[in-house]
């Protein structure tokens, strides 16, 4: 069974390995260190004692932002990403978030479909936000209203 715990600096070697395997444009070691030092809600997902995923949430003024959610490629497609996202949303709810926001590449169909399936809606675009092989790709901004049925524990 997948379990979750706060990320610590000693996890970063394995976290970065998963990050590099999972993204064409991964976060750096420094990005994770900054998140830990800024006391963002950094979590790891473990299966049989191995870190198989990581997630980062920021919170402020009633809003949470999912900054990163990642399941290592050989564990993808087994339901872990959904359970991890639900875990992050539970944490956002406990912190008092009324809205949760995130950005995603429209080309990242697995992520977009996962977010839509738990009630996120597309609310706008950030033009040319992400680096891409042929220049840049827009970011789809998505929002989940935690006060609605989807956001209130009906996941
Ligand atoms: C996005 C990610 C976290 C999903 O995790 P996962 O463990 O593979 O997803 P799950 O197996 O829990 O699937 C949950 C839902 O995601 C969607 N999904 C997953 N894989 C999919 C695929 N290949 N194509 C389309 N939709 C897919 C489906 O809606 C699925 O629900 P279903 O199984 O009921 O159809 C994972 O693919 C990942 O880490 N990708 C690399 C990092 C990344 O892109 N993170 C998101 C940045 S915005």
């Amino acid at each position: 069974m997948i379990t979750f715990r706060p990320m610590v600096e000693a996890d970063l070697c394995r976290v970065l390995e998963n990050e590099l395997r999972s993204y064409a444009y991964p976060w750096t070691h420094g990005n994770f260190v900054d998140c830990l030092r800024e006391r963002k809600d950094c979590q790891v997902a473990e299966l049989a004692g191995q870190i198989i995923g990581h997630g980062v949430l920021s919170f402020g003024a009633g809003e949470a932002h999912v900054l990163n959610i990642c399941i290592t490629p050989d564990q993808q497609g087994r339901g872990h990403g959904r359970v991890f996202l639900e875990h992050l949303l539970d944490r956002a709810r406990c912190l008092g978030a009324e809205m949760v926001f995130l950005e995603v590449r429209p080309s990242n169909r697995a992520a977009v479909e996962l977010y839509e399936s738990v009630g996120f809606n597309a609310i706008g675009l950030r033009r040319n936000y992400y680096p891409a092989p042929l220049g840049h790709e827009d970011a789809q901004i998505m929002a989940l209203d935690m006060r609605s049925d989807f956001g209130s524990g009906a996941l």
Side-chain angles (χ1 to χ4, degrees), residues 73-110:
D74 58 0
Q75 291 291 337
Q76 289 175 10
R78 301 177 185 196
H80 300 317
R82 181 184 297 284
V83 175
F84 199 5
L85 179 60
E86 289 173 358
H87 172 71
L88 294 177
L89 294 178
D90 279 345
R91 294 184 67 81
R93 190 176 293 114
C94 288
L95 289 167
E98 295 188 342
M99 296 294 298
V100 182
F101 297 94
L102 56 81
E103 276 120 22
V104 60
R105 290 175 188 263
S107 62
N108 189 348
R109 293 317 306 166

Side-chain angles (χ1 to χ4, degrees), residues 25-155:
Y25 299 92
W27 280 18
T28 64
H29 183 269
N31 293 142
F32 286 104
V33 170
D34 288 347
C35 287
L36 287 169
R37 294 193 180 154
E38 289 162 11
R39 303 205 179 283
K40 295 205 164 55
D41 188 13
C42 304
Q43 296 275 309
V44 290
E46 289 186 315
L47 190 67
Q50 284 284 321
I51 294 176
I52 62 150
H54 52 272
V56 179
L57 196 69
S58 69
F59 177 77
E63 291 180 3
H65 292 247
V66 179
L67 301 178
N68 197 335
I69 178 169
C70 178
I71 297 289
T72 197
D74 58 0
Q75 291 291 337
Q76 289 175 10
R78 301 177 185 196
H80 300 317
R82 181 184 297 284
V83 175
F84 199 5
L85 179 60
E86 289 173 358
H87 172 71
L88 294 177
L89 294 178
D90 279 345
R91 294 184 67 81
R93 190 176 293 114
C94 288
L95 289 167
E98 295 188 342
M99 296 294 298
V100 182
F101 297 94
L102 56 81
E103 276 120 22
V104 60
R105 290 175 188 263
S107 62
N108 189 348
R109 293 317 306 166
V112 170
E113 288 186 25
L114 169 60
Y115 300 145
E116 286 176 345
S117 74
V118 301
F120 277 90
N121 291 305
I123 58 161
L125 283 181
R126 285 191 209 287
R127 296 272 174 212
N128 298 321
Y129 185 74
Y130 293 115
L134 297 175
H136 288 86
E137 179 176 0
D138 296 339
Q140 179 77 67
I141 307 169
M142 301 188 82
L144 174 66
D145 187 341
M146 301 291 271
R147 298 161 297 187
S148 71
D149 284 348
F150 259 126
S152 60
L155 295 172

